[in-house]
Amino acid sequence: MNPRRKKRLGIVLAIFIGVSATIGLMLYALNQNMDLFYTPTELVNGKPDGSKPEVGQRLRIGGMVVEGSVKRDVESLRVSFDLHDVGPKVTILYDGILPDLFREGQGIVAQGVLKDATTIEAFEVLAKHDEEYMPPEVAEAMKKTHEPLQYSEQQKQGSGQ
């Protein structure tokens, strides 16, 4: 092979390796910044495919604020509250000003980091804007969770007659 072809081959290989490395690093960065959505039941029991988040993982969680669970620190903006859907409760810790529409008994979505199996350190809390609205992820997850419950209740009623 003559020197001119070797030089061209070297340039083509360098460009190919550079583009491959760039694409690989971009995919790695996107994977690290991806926030997965969970309901409190999925967080504790795992998703239907068996996956559970790891401690330190960023995630989004949606559900209803438990009545009487909001605790505010009198010396700071630190707030803790429980979140549930139809199963277990999850504790959310948040340091900041909650949205004006935040209330007990309403649906919210929190974005944060998993501290342990049932505690999330949130850096953002979003509240719904009226009585009928529910974030699409929460509505879909609750629909999936409620359908099996409704079906089993119908079976119990049908067998009891």
Side-chain angles (χ1 to χ4, degrees), residues 68-112:
S69 69
V70 177
K71 296 173 186 69
R72 298 175 190 272
D73 185 5
V74 294
E75 297 180 6
S76 69
L77 296 176
R78 192 121 175 107
V79 179
S80 73
F81 56 90
D82 292 336
L83 202 64
H84 75 99
D85 51 356
V86 294
K89 296 178 190 174
V90 174
T91 302
I92 308 293
L93 306 172
Y94 180 65
D95 193 3
I97 299 172
L98 290 168
D100 290 339
L101 297 175
F102 179 88
R103 300 185 292 283
E104 295 177 347
Q106 83 167 41
I108 62 114
V109 173
Q111 190 170 355

Side-chain angles (χ1 to χ4, degrees), residues 39-41 63-64 83-89 141-142 144-146 149:
T39 63
T41 302
M64 306 297 271
L83 202 64
H84 75 99
D85 51 356
V86 294
K89 296 178 190 174
M142 289 185 82
K144 286 179 185 177
T145 307
H146 285 295
L149 292 174

Side-chain angles (χ1 to χ4, degrees), residues 8-65:
R8 283 185 189 163
L9 181 62
I11 291 172
V12 168
L13 285 175
I15 290 172
F16 178 74
I17 291 171
V19 168
S20 298
T22 303
I23 291 172
L25 289 172
M26 285 175 33
L27 291 174
Y28 178 75
L30 289 174
N31 191 29
Q32 292 297 315
N33 290 329
M34 187 170 49
D35 295 330
L36 299 175
F37 182 82
Y38 291 89
T39 63
T41 302
E42 291 173 340
L43 184 71
V44 173
N45 300 331
K47 288 198 177 254
D49 64 1
S51 64
K52 286 180 82 171
E54 299 172 4
V55 173
Q57 179 178 335
R58 281 179 46 152
L59 54 87
R60 291 174 55 206
I61 185 165
M64 306 297 271
V65 178

